[in-house]
Amino acid sequence: MRKLFILLITIFSAPFTSCSNKDSGEIKPTKGTITESVYASGVVKAENQYTVFSTVSGELKQTEVTVGETINQGQSLFKIDDTKASLNTDNARLSFQLSQENGRYIQDKIAEMETKVQAAKDKLTLDQSVYNRNKNIKQYNVISEVDYEKVELSYKNSKSNYETALKQLSQLKIQLKSDQVRNNNNLKISEKAQGDFTIKSAFSGTLFNILVKDGALITPQTPLAIIGKKNDYLLELEVDEIDVVKINLGQKVLVTLDSYKGKVFEATVDKIYPIMEERSRTFKIEAHFVTTPAKLYPNLTVEANVIISTKKNVITIPKNYLVKDQFVIVSGNEMRKVKIGLSDYQNVEILDGLNETESIYKPK
């Protein structure tokens, strides 16, 4: 991920004063400006740029748009062969219609069963009245035990028949309702599935590219087209995992593009994705140009430096004069510990342990 970004570094690096003894690498620290930055690389993206995919598989029958066309949200882009889906919808519609006819038959059965329920209720009322009357006179021994048991059994049978009729009526009503709901849902599902064979745009924008041809076999993994907002661009950058903790929203970004040799554009960090890409060990950030270049196209490659901090009038030395990131060599090969601050790709700030009048030597 790390890469030399010469153009931006040299903008902020200050020159160093060398002593006459060039063979020993003797130099003196210098005062200047140092900028700490984080390297990032990436591409230009159109705002809301996305790749169109299908949710179903099949043969691409017709492309209904052309590259460069302005696309509206919900507009039809592609049609995939839906012969099988159409037949499934027809079958579901036929089943629904048959269920409607069957429903009328069940409604007739319900009316018939309601009549039976009423008859069973009437008989229960009568048998219950006879039973209660004989129960009251049984104590006077005016009815035999056998006759009483017959009356009691008749009442119990009537009660059981009435309860059974009620259950049958309830089951018929439930069956009618469930059959209608089930077949109606199956029809809606089939119609929705058939609609998936027409691929529509999720957003409004410009059609940048069509990635398939009519007659191709399409799957949900096949990219079909790229759509995004024309003349509205952002930068999608990747930052190394060891540098991402230094990135904050609003930081300045200096950007170069191969399409604009020798020019540096300014942008601002406005989004940091909070998850690492495991393969590249990088984090994705987004930035927007402060002043957008005159012409841009999606997927142009860019290199950038995210400016972390800048200090002026500080003592700096070349990084390659540091030993173990904390020592410098002074006269007589003496190792002196120094405290460092900001650093860029070439230079490092000295906070303590060395002044600009002392000479240091390049490690061998």
Side-chain angles (χ1 to χ4, degrees):
M1 178 66 189
R2 293 191 169 278
K3 185 175 180 181
L4 176 60
F5 199 171
I6 297 176
L7 175 61
L8 299 182
I9 295 300
T10 54
I11 288 176
F12 298 107
S13 298
F16 285 87
T17 304
S18 298
C19 296
S20 57
N21 190 355
K22 295 182 179 179
D23 292 338
S24 64
E26 179 184 354
I27 64 169
K28 290 184 178 181
T30 186
K31 279 195 173 183
T33 299
I34 188 167
T35 297
E36 181 179 8
S37 61
V38 168
Y39 174 79
S41 63
V43 295
V44 174
K45 291 281 188 180
E47 194 74 45
N48 290 336
Q49 180 176 326
Y50 80 104
T51 302
V52 180
F53 288 90
S54 169
T55 58
V56 296
S57 299
E59 180 185 349
L60 179 59
K61 282 295 187 182
Q62 185 178 352
T63 300
E64 302 189 314
V65 287
T66 57
V67 173
E69 181 180 344
T70 298
I71 304 298
N72 296 317
Q73 184 177 8
Q75 181 177 339
S76 177
L77 306 175
F78 304 94
K79 286 190 178 296
I80 298 175
D81 183 14
D82 65 346
T83 302
K84 184 176 179 180
S86 179
L87 291 174
N88 289 337
T89 301
D90 290 342
N91 287 338
R93 185 174 293 108
L94 179 60
S95 295
F96 178 70
Q97 292 171 349
L98 289 175
S99 72
Q100 294 292 89
E101 295 178 3
N102 188 48
R104 285 189 287 271
Y105 168 75
I106 294 178
Q107 286 177 337
D108 291 341
K109 296 290 290 183
I110 288 175
E112 181 182 344
M113 181 54 65
E114 287 174 341
T115 301
K116 289 184 178 179
V117 168
Q118 186 60 46
K121 183 178 181 181
D122 292 342
K123 187 173 189 309
L124 172 62
T125 301
L126 176 61
D127 289 346
Q128 186 175 18
S129 176
V130 173
Y131 169 71
N132 289 336
R133 188 167 57 253
N134 282 276
K135 184 178 180 181
N136 291 332
I137 66 174
K138 181 175 182 293
Q139 59 182 321
Y140 301 109
N141 296 320
V142 295
I143 184 174
S144 68
E145 190 67 30
V146 173
D147 289 338
Y148 176 77
E149 288 178 354
K150 287 181 179 180
V151 169
E152 183 180 30
L153 179 61
S154 180
Y155 162 66
K156 290 182 178 179
N157 287 337
S158 295
K159 184 178 181 181
S160 176
N161 291 337
Y162 175 64
E163 291 174 349
T164 300
L166 283 176
K167 289 180 181 180
Q168 290 175 342
L169 177 61
S170 175
Q171 289 171 352
L172 280 174
K173 289 181 177 179
I174 292 173
Q175 180 183 350
L176 173 62
K177 184 176 181 179
S178 62
D179 285 350
Q180 289 177 336
V181 171
R182 181 177 61 255
N183 286 286
N184 187 35
N185 288 342
N186 288 339
L187 177 59
K188 289 179 179 179
I189 291 171
S190 295
E191 289 174 340
K192 174 61 174 63
Q194 186 177 356
D196 290 341
F197 284 81
T198 298
I199 312 302
K200 298 179 180 180
S201 177
F203 300 99
S204 297
T206 298
L207 181 63
F208 291 117
N209 199 6
I210 295 175
L211 307 174
V212 290
K213 294 182 179 181
D214 291 353
L217 179 62
I218 303 302
T219 71
Q221 290 75 42
T222 306
L224 305 179
I226 298 175
I227 295 176
K229 288 187 177 180
K230 190 176 182 180
N231 300 325
D232 192 358
Y233 297 96
L234 59 85
L235 298 166
E236 191 174 279
L237 306 172
E238 291 183 347
V239 176
D240 195 282
E241 64 173 311
I242 66 174
D243 293 324
V244 71
V245 294
K246 302 176 184 178
I247 305 297
N248 293 299
L249 297 179
Q251 287 176 326
K252 181 190 294 186
V253 185
L254 299 180
V255 182
T256 62
L257 300 89
D258 288 341
S259 303
Y260 289 89
K261 293 291 185 181
K263 292 187 178 181
V264 179
F265 299 94
E266 185 177 328
T268 303
V269 175
D270 53 24
K271 190 172 185 178
I272 303 169
Y273 286 81
I275 187 170
M276 184 179 70
E277 171 57 50
E278 294 185 4
R279 291 185 179 180
S280 61
R281 312 297 297 179
T282 60
F283 283 79
K284 184 168 69 174
I285 66 173
E286 288 182 3
H288 279 83
F289 285 104
V290 174
T291 301
T292 305
K295 286 186 177 182
L296 280 180
Y297 300 94
N299 297 338
L300 288 178
T301 58
V302 302
E303 291 184 297
N305 265 23
V306 182
I307 305 304
I308 306 303
S309 182
T310 299
K311 283 187 178 181
K312 296 182 179 180
N313 199 31
V314 296
I315 297 176
T316 61
I317 65 171
K319 267 188 173 180
N320 57 1
Y321 276 69
L322 274 179
V323 179
K324 296 181 180 179
D325 292 329
Q326 59 179 333
F327 298 98
V328 294
I329 301 175
V330 294
S331 59
N333 291 327
E334 175 190 345
M335 298 280 285
R336 182 186 297 175
K337 188 173 183 179
V338 293
K339 184 178 180 181
I340 64 173
L342 296 184
S343 65
D344 58 25
Y345 189 82
Q346 294 177 322
N347 308 316
V348 61
E349 175 191 8
I350 301 298
L351 297 175
D352 191 29
L354 188 68
N355 61 59
E356 56 188 310
T357 64
E358 296 179 284
S359 296
I360 59 174
Y361 300 87
K362 189 174 183 178
K364 295 181 181 180

